[in-house]
Amino acid sequence: MNATAVTIFLAATILWFLLPLLPAIIELLRPTDLAPLTVVPRDAGDVAFLAKGFRGYLAGQLDRLPAETPADFLGRLPDGTLFGRVREATGVLAPGQATVQDRVMVLETGAPVPGDQTFVQEIHARAPFLGGPRTAYRAILADQGATLGEGSRVLRWIHAAGPLDIGAGSALAGRASSDRAVRLGPGVRFDRIGAPEIVTSGTAPAAPAPTAPRTPFVPPEDARRIGDHLRIEADLHLPAGTDVDGNLVVRGRLVVGRGSRIRGSIKTHGEILIEPEVEITGSLVSRAPISVGQGGFVAGPIIGEDEVRIAAGSVIGTGGAPTTIAARTLTLGPATTIFGQITTQAGGTTATT
Amino acid sequence: MRTALLIPLLVIVGIVVVYTLRHYLFTLNRLFGTHRQPYVDIGVADWPHVSVLVPAHNEEKVIAGMLDALLAADYPADRLVIVPINDRSTDGTRAILDAYAARHPARVKPYHRTDGRPGKAAALAEAFPTIAGEVHLIFDADYLPGQGLIKQLVAPFFDPEVGAVMGRVVPLNVSRSLLTRLLDLERSGGYQVDQQARMNLDLVPQYGGTVGGVRRSALEAVDGWREDTLAEDTDVTYRLILGGWQVVYQNRSECYEEVPETWPTRIRQIKRWARGHNQALAAYTGRILAKPAHLRPLVALDGLLLLGVFAMGPLLLIGWGLATTLYYLGYQISTGILPILAVATYSTLGNFAAFFEVATAARLDGSRNRIRLLPFLLFGFLVSLTSVSVATLSQLVGRFRGEDHTWQKTERYRNGPSIGGPA
């Protein structure tokens, strides 16, 4: 074999080897994807982040509108988005047959929005907002209070600076928040809610009868003290009126008897069943279902990787120390109060009665 | 003779196959399994007192950026104390820390070391008894935590069983060299797939020594930081697991870091990791095999496999040597072992971030063209394989000679994108 043949053979071999590397070599020599991965931005914990973003966007657009734009105006924003502003006239919002509104709307009137409407763009309500029944919204930013009629649907987010009232049977996809309070009617479905106070409609149960003095918790013999918690490797049933001082980690199922008090946090690997009138000063954590009985109180976060049920009249968090419920699904009974934030992965609902 | 060579080869092939299956299990879990992040949505709570520890040895290039980022954190100011641990610095680090302490006396409280054993582990061990706070978060000095990161890393400690938490490390200086781009891919595989899969499967996520933290009472229960280890992170992970605590990983708790930009720096770094990890392998394998009652069998198995990741390099080299020797001795490996070894080696070469994992991580991260560099990871893995093997060998030799391996600081650059991170 002569030198030329050897050279050709070698070159062909090298090319054959390099062929699968071609995309890599091109990317190395002419980089197209050099930026660091974007980390989760600072909005991660802010329920009202999208509302704040919309406020900023709209303010920027309105600043660029001609000064002589009439108070009642149907047109386009400077970026071309269809836009409507209602200050005096009520024609746009007049009741009638079901309509679809495809403009970003700024409502400066307190006139109620008729029922059975569909708003496919955002609404900025500068006056108290009153929505009719069965109306669907993409998103609402309310500078004051907002009330949604029965059977309303919010597809992305809603934020109110004042109280936010959600009518029975409504559905809140995405985020719902208020700087004051959120009141949820019966049968409301939701994903994520944040407010200093979140309450569900209904009547609180009657005050419980005085209970007998609590008895100190006697740990099972095989319980182990690990750091600042007590670990139990099996199921645990705390009798009614038990007083536990410290954190508990239970490998199995946990039942906390009526009227007990846990001065600490609870973590279980099995189900947690909390009977009525139990007080927990710490957090409640489980990979299995959690059920908080009627009139219960949990001061710290509830972290449930499965279903969480909060029975009537229960209180989670306090006004001075708000907290979070994070669950896969959440059911809230009547007259429950949550101070802080609710996050669900697969949705939550309020009781229908 | 042949049998004497074949038996260890079969053992090595078996171990390689187990690691291969482990990689596939983790990757398939990330592609098709449920993503667990139970604590990340806790945005509102009665937050505990936290101390953020920043060990710093000659960090004048980066420490100010780190302190600025921590001072801007979204966390109640009266519950957050920043404790930079000046570890015998000879540059301007001390002056910078003192200037910050003077400006923020209630929030920045430096701890100055002037002597003692060098290294992060020793620095943490010495400072720990003097530092308050229910939760101790630890960051290396070249990291740039975002505003929400402190809350995210503290949130898991509302679970009373959690002893340590680990966040995700994201390279910032990706564009500097081929090495930084490869490390970017490798980190993605290690965190997005490997760590998160172990979190999903309730196995053993590893506390990685930075962008993470420990519960003070848990650390006290396992006798605090040990100063005689080169990998205090692996060491404390295993002591916590054996002590009945959980270590959890939060994929969304991300923080930028600088990765090594030159191969010599990278080789020094991975050698140090290997020596530290091997220390833990020697210290904790027996205790895991003894399996305390609280340790589930799968957790024990995963713990053992995690301990052994840096032992895989030398084992692979030994396996290649055995196979080659057997071949020249005339033994025809025709019973299916060779293909298994070939496939398993291909999948396991990187141990911690094999190709399938990296490709999956790039997809999960929504990366675009950086995955094209995947074939070049072979070079990075070969360098790692060699470095880890050399480190392990020198460690074994040193052990016989009674030598004490010293800690070596990783070089800093701070010449990538601006301190605030990418736009």
Side-chain angles (χ1 to χ4, degrees):
Chain A
M1 191 180 290
N2 62 31
T4 306
V6 169
T7 305
I8 291 172
F9 178 76
L10 279 176
T13 305
I14 291 168
L15 284 175
W16 189 250
F17 175 75
L18 290 178
L19 193 59
L21 298 179
L22 203 55
I25 293 168
I26 292 171
E27 178 61 25
L28 179 64
L29 298 177
R30 305 181 70 174
T32 59
D33 192 7
L34 277 176
L37 286 178
T38 305
V39 302
V40 173
R42 54 185 288 196
D43 75 299
D46 185 359
V47 180
F49 179 80
L50 296 175
K52 290 173 183 171
F54 172 68
R55 182 186 293 280
Y57 158 77
L58 193 59
Q61 293 293 316
L62 295 179
D63 283 348
R64 290 164 53 200
L65 275 182
E68 63 274 15
T69 305
D72 290 300
F73 170 68
L74 293 179
R76 290 181 182 272
L77 291 170
D79 69 357
T81 303
L82 284 170
F83 170 71
R85 181 166 62 200
V86 181
R87 186 173 295 168
E88 301 290 342
T90 56
V92 175
L93 301 175
Q97 60 186 27
T99 58
V100 175
Q101 180 56 262
D102 58 357
R103 297 169 184 275
V104 169
M105 298 295 295
V106 172
L107 306 181
E108 299 182 351
T109 169
V113 171
D116 298 305
Q117 310 297 301
T118 300
F119 291 84
V120 297
Q121 298 292 339
E122 292 87 350
I123 292 174
H124 182 189
R126 291 181 169 164
F129 181 84
L130 180 60
R134 298 172 304 281
T135 289
Y137 310 90
R138 174 183 169 89
I140 301 172
L141 169 63
D143 288 348
Q144 300 182 46
T147 301
L148 302 190
E150 291 183 6
S152 297
R153 284 179 295 145
V154 177
L155 304 181
R156 293 198 65 207
W157 53 264
I158 178 169
H159 177 79
L164 174 60
D165 281 282
I166 309 297
S170 296
L172 306 173
R175 306 169 181 218
S177 55
S178 164
D179 295 336
R180 297 268 298 279
V182 174
R183 284 192 285 269
L184 303 169
V188 170
R189 286 172 289 137
F190 54 84
D191 288 337
R192 193 171 178 189
I193 304 175
E197 187 177 6
I198 303 163
V199 295
T200 60
S201 62
T203 308
T211 54
R214 294 188 175 104
T215 54
F217 171 54
V218 179
E221 286 185 359
D222 58 350
R224 279 196 307 144
R225 168 67 56 187
I226 295 177
D228 56 5
H229 70 259
L230 197 65
R231 185 183 179 95
I232 292 111
E233 296 291 343
D235 293 348
L236 180 67
H237 189 149
L238 299 176
T242 301
D243 193 1
V244 180
D245 188 7
N247 300 329
L248 287 178
V249 173
V250 179
R251 283 289 303 180
R253 180 174 186 264
L254 172 69
V255 178
V256 181
R258 185 182 192 108
S260 295
R261 179 174 59 182
I262 316 288
R263 287 175 288 172
S265 297
I266 292 175
K267 159 76 175 285
T268 74
H269 292 248
E271 180 187 11
I272 300 178
L273 178 60
I274 295 176
E275 294 180 351
E277 312 300 338
V278 170
E279 176 187 345
I280 298 169
T281 64
S283 54
L284 203 50
V285 186
S286 180
R287 293 191 70 173
I290 298 173
S291 175
V292 176
Q294 187 171 299
F297 169 69
V298 181
I302 296 179
I303 304 164
E305 295 187 56
D306 203 315
E307 177 186 20
V308 173
R309 302 179 73 87
I310 311 290
S314 295
V315 176
I316 312 299
T318 66
T323 194
T324 299
I325 300 176
R328 190 178 67 79
T329 63
L330 174 65
T331 304
L332 296 174
T336 57
T337 303
I338 296 99
F339 294 96
Q341 191 167 299
I342 293 169
T343 301
T344 67
Q345 291 166 13
T349 183
T350 58
T352 51
T353 55
Chain B
M1 177 66 175
R2 286 177 184 173
T3 307
L5 295 177
L6 187 60
I7 289 173
L9 176 61
L10 288 175
V11 171
I12 290 172
V13 169
I15 294 171
V16 168
V17 168
V18 168
Y19 272 93
T20 305
L21 293 174
R22 174 177 177 267
H23 282 309
Y24 280 121
L25 173 67
F26 288 171
T27 309
L28 292 172
N29 172 273
R30 291 300 287 124
L31 286 173
F32 304 111
T34 302
H35 183 83
R36 274 190 75 213
Q37 46 180 13
Y39 314 105
V40 79
D41 288 320
I42 299 175
V44 178
D46 188 14
W47 300 100
H49 288 270
V50 173
S51 293
V52 181
L53 284 57
V54 187
H57 173 70
N58 291 340
E59 302 283 12
E60 65 179 7
K61 285 184 184 176
V62 294
I63 191 69
M66 174 63 181
L67 295 179
D68 287 338
L70 287 173
L71 285 167
D74 173 23
Y75 201 86
D78 60 338
R79 298 187 183 191
L80 175 70
V81 174
I82 302 163
V83 186
I85 305 174
N86 169 26
D87 183 17
R88 305 161 300 109
S89 295
T90 54
D91 64 354
T93 301
R94 183 185 187 109
I96 294 169
L97 296 184
D98 287 343
Y100 271 84
R103 285 204 299 274
H104 309 279
R107 303 191 64 193
V108 180
K109 299 183 176 177
Y111 181 92
H112 294 292
R113 292 184 85 207
T114 52
D115 51 21
R117 192 185 182 109
K120 184 173 167 183
L124 288 170
E126 184 180 312
F128 175 67
T130 71
I131 298 170
E134 299 160 56
V135 173
H136 287 189
L137 299 183
I138 293 119
F139 288 90
D140 286 349
D142 59 323
Y143 282 60
L144 295 166
Q147 285 185 309
L149 186 62
I150 303 298
K151 279 184 178 176
Q152 285 190 350
L153 290 176
V154 170
F157 292 104
F158 286 111
D159 178 344
E161 194 179 16
V162 169
V165 63
M166 180 64 200
R168 180 177 176 181
V169 172
V170 178
L172 179 64
N173 52 338
V174 182
S175 63
R176 302 302 301 176
S177 64
L178 173 62
L179 173 61
T180 58
R181 300 185 73 185
L182 295 181
L183 289 177
D184 175 57
L185 289 172
E186 198 175 305
R187 294 281 199 277
S188 286
Y191 286 97
Q192 178 65 273
V193 172
D194 207 285
Q195 288 269 51
Q196 182 60 47
R198 278 184 267 146
M199 177 67 186
N200 291 348
L201 296 166
D202 206 11
L203 299 174
V204 186
Q206 185 183 359
Y207 164 66
T210 181
V211 195
V214 293
R215 185 192 298 272
R216 185 191 170 89
S217 61
L219 197 58
E220 284 173 340
V222 298
D223 300 326
W225 299 104
R226 281 179 48 188
E227 66 168 23
D228 58 345
T229 176
L230 288 167
E232 82 293 339
D233 44 9
T234 310
D235 182 79
V236 88
T237 297
Y238 280 88
R239 282 190 288 134
L240 288 172
I241 296 293
L242 287 163
W245 299 90
Q246 278 195 338
V247 179
V248 298
Y249 171 69
Q250 295 223 119
N251 197 50
R252 271 176 57 190
S253 302
E254 299 150 317
C255 185
Y256 287 121
E257 67 151 352
E258 282 189 340
V259 289
E261 294 182 4
T262 63
W263 288 100
T265 307
R266 169 62 176 161
I267 288 169
R268 279 197 299 276
Q269 183 188 56
I270 200 162
K271 280 183 170 178
R272 176 166 57 83
W273 289 355
R275 290 190 186 108
H277 218 84
N278 290 340
Q279 273 184 338
L281 175 69
Y284 300 112
T285 300
R287 290 177 62 184
I288 291 179
L289 286 173
K291 207 173 93 51
H294 68 269
L295 217 55
R296 290 182 296 115
L298 278 178
V299 172
L301 175 63
D302 183 52
L304 284 174
L305 294 173
L306 181 61
L307 272 179
V309 290
F310 281 95
M312 285 306 297
L315 272 183
L316 275 177
L317 288 180
I318 292 169
W320 292 347
L322 289 170
T324 309
T325 307
L326 279 167
Y327 176 79
Y328 283 107
L329 286 175
Y331 184 81
Q332 298 299 315
I333 305 176
S334 57
T335 56
I337 296 170
L338 191 60
I340 291 173
L341 183 62
V343 172
T345 302
Y346 174 76
S347 297
T348 317
L349 204 56
N351 287 334
F352 201 65
F355 297 96
F356 190 25
E357 282 190 343
V358 171
T360 300
R363 172 183 152 78
L364 292 170
D365 280 333
S367 299
R368 295 178 298 114
N369 296 338
R370 67 189 65 194
I371 195 58
R372 291 175 179 169
L373 294 176
L374 192 68
F376 286 147
L377 272 182
L378 183 67
F379 304 125
F381 288 158
L382 285 174
V383 171
S384 297
L385 184 75
T386 312
S387 306
V388 167
S389 300
V390 168
T392 304
L393 186 64
S394 68
Q395 194 173 20
L396 285 172
V397 172
R399 191 164 182 157
F400 283 120
R401 292 179 178 171
E403 292 173 358
D404 188 15
H405 284 289
T406 54
W407 170 83
Q408 287 180 306
K409 176 182 158 57
T410 303
E411 188 179 345
R412 305 289 189 230
Y413 307 94
R414 191 46 48 89
N415 50 9
S418 63
I419 281 177

